[in-house]
């Protein structure tokens, strides 16, 4: 369940060292972001993530030994973000979700748990677009788009990805709390071919702190009781100060389960997601699809677990 995807593992790894260009001054990531905001830039995204749930069962193997089976969710996909002077003004998110591990555990739980019932309905290919003050959804198996309600331009992209580093206040908060820093040699990016240097910062932030500073997280989490949960984060930016990658992870160690709670009344005890940003220097357009008003899925992003309805015992 928790084998890491290369996007999450390769926080520092890249190609072979190249000759360093003459510009070696350390970049300012806040200034780099403000440049992109003022320019109205856009980027493509690629993301991978997974979660582990508290659904488990002890089973006996044919050799007489016992083992624990579990289940969770795995997501991957691509998207786009378009910036304006205040932040993300439009976003697009194409998400493929699968149920990992022993799916039958979730099927059985769904009979009495509306959250897991919603997760099962969201499995497959889901598309979200937020533009012009509205959010649009194309649910798995659906053939037509639905306009599901009012939303910010960031809503489609920042529900699985909790940490929006394209908000200046959120980025400043992370930078101020960074506990470690690293920098690569000059490397050649395997996708763009550009020689670049990647700066890496890491730290932790509580969900309550993130809720206070981040408009997009407040929109995603709503009025959920966030408790004392915190996430570990790693932020990477290039030698221009432009966003390169953001990864967060949450891990409730088994020894702590009696003293602390997982997310959503304990439903999620481990989770992580990494987002890669590319092509900041290319034109980007996001348009609304033809759609009719309608109701969206009850569960369509990781953040939905934070405000999930109470479990029925």
């Amino acid at each position: 369940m928790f084998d890491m995807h290369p996007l999450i593992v390769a926080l520092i790894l890249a190609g072979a060292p190249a000759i360093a260009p003459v510009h070696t001054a350390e970049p300012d990531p806040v200034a780099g972001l403000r440049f992109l905001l003022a320019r109205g830039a856009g980027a493509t995204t690629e993301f991978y993530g997974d979660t582990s749930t508290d659904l488990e069962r002890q089973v006996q193997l044919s050799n007489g030994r016992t083992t624990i089976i579990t289940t969770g969710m795995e997501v991957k996909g691509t998207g786009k973000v378009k910036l304006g002077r205040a932040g993300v003004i439009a976003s697009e998110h194409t998400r493929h979700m699968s149920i990992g591990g022993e799916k039958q555990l979730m099927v059985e739980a769904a009979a009495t748990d509306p959250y897991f019932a919603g997760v099962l309905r969201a499995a497959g290919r889901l598309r979200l677009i937020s533009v012009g003050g509205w959010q649009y959804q194309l649910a798995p198996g659906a053939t037509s788009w639905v306009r599901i309600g009012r939303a910010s331009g960031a809503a489609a992209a920042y529900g699985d990805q909790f940490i929006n580093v394209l908000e200046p206040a959120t980025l400043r908060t992370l930078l101020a709390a960074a506990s470690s820093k690293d920098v690569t040699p000059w490397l050649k990016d395997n996708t763009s071919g550009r020689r670049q240097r990647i700066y890496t910062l890491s730290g932790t932030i509580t969900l309550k702190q993130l809720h206070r500073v981040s408009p997009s997280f407040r929109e995603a989490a709503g009025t959920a009781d966030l408790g004392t949960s915190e996430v570990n984060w790693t932020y990477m930016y290039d030698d221009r100060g432009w966003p390169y990658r953001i990864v967060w992870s949450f891990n409730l160690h088994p020894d702590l389960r009696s003293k602390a709670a997982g997310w959503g009344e304990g439903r999620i005890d481990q989770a992580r997601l990494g987002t890669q940003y590319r092509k900041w220097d290319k034109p980007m357009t996001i348009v609304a699809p033809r759609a009719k008003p309608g109701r969206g899925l009850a569960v369509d992003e990781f953040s939905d677990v934070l405000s999930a309805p109470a479990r029925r015992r």
Side-chain angles (χ1 to χ4, degrees), residues 125-146:
R125 181 176 182 264
L126 169 69
R127 295 188 64 190
L128 296 168
I129 292 177
S130 298
V131 64
W134 294 94
Q135 181 152 338
Y136 303 85
Q137 184 181 96
L138 183 64
T143 57
S144 57
W145 287 85
V146 176

Side-chain angles (χ1 to χ4, degrees), residues 10-19 184-198 236 244-245 278:
L11 292 176
I12 302 175
L13 301 179
I19 298 173
T184 68
W186 289 93
L187 309 168
K188 183 176 181 180
D189 184 84
N190 292 331
T191 300
S192 67
R194 179 182 179 272
R195 289 179 179 178
Q196 61 186 11
R197 199 172 211 176
I198 301 299
M236 303 170 69
Y244 183 74
R245 185 178 297 155
R278 296 190 184 278

Side-chain angles (χ1 to χ4, degrees), residues 160-163 231-232 247-250 263 271-273 302:
D160 285 330
Q161 177 54 265
F162 288 2
I163 301 180
V231 293
N232 300 314
V247 180
W248 63 259
S249 65
F250 166 75
W263 292 344
R272 63 170 168 244
L273 191 117
F302 281 174

Side-chain angles (χ1 to χ4, degrees), residues 8 11 31 38 44 54 56 68 112 118-119 200 211 224 233 248 278 296:
I8 298 176
L11 292 176
T44 61
D54 69 343
E56 60 180 37
I68 302 295
T112 57
V119 170
T200 300
H211 197 272
W233 57 265
W248 63 259
R278 296 190 184 278

Side-chain angles (χ1 to χ4, degrees), residues 73-146:
M73 295 86 81
E74 301 171 354
V75 300
K76 62 180 180 179
T78 58
K80 303 176 183 177
V81 290
K82 173 69 174 176
L83 303 184
R85 289 191 173 274
V88 179
I89 60 171
S91 57
E92 186 173 330
H93 195 68
T94 300
R95 174 198 207 234
H96 299 263
M97 188 185 76
S98 60
I99 310 301
E102 190 64 34
K103 181 179 178 180
Q104 186 59 29
L105 293 175
M106 194 175 296
V107 172
E108 293 171 4
T112 57
D113 191 322
Y115 172 72
F116 286 124
V119 170
L120 290 173
R121 285 191 288 270
R125 181 176 182 264
L126 169 69
R127 295 188 64 190
L128 296 168
I129 292 177
S130 298
V131 64
W134 294 94
Q135 181 152 338
Y136 303 85
Q137 184 181 96
L138 183 64
T143 57
S144 57
W145 287 85
V146 176

Side-chain angles (χ1 to χ4, degrees), residues 226-268:
L226 301 176
T228 59
S229 293
E230 64 179 22
V231 293
N232 300 314
W233 57 265
T234 297
Y235 176 54
M236 303 170 69
Y237 55 95
D238 68 14
D239 52 283
R240 299 167 293 189
W242 296 3
Y244 183 74
R245 185 178 297 155
I246 177 69
V247 180
W248 63 259
S249 65
F250 166 75
N251 184 9
L252 179 63
H253 192 279
D255 292 343
L256 300 179
R257 288 183 181 177
S258 61
K259 301 177 183 178
W263 292 344
E265 293 192 341
R267 290 176 174 98
I268 301 298

Side-chain angles (χ1 to χ4, degrees), residues 12-34:
I12 302 175
L13 301 179
I19 298 173
V22 294
H23 51 287
T24 58
E26 184 169 334
D28 179 346
V30 175
L33 174 59
R34 291 198 178 282

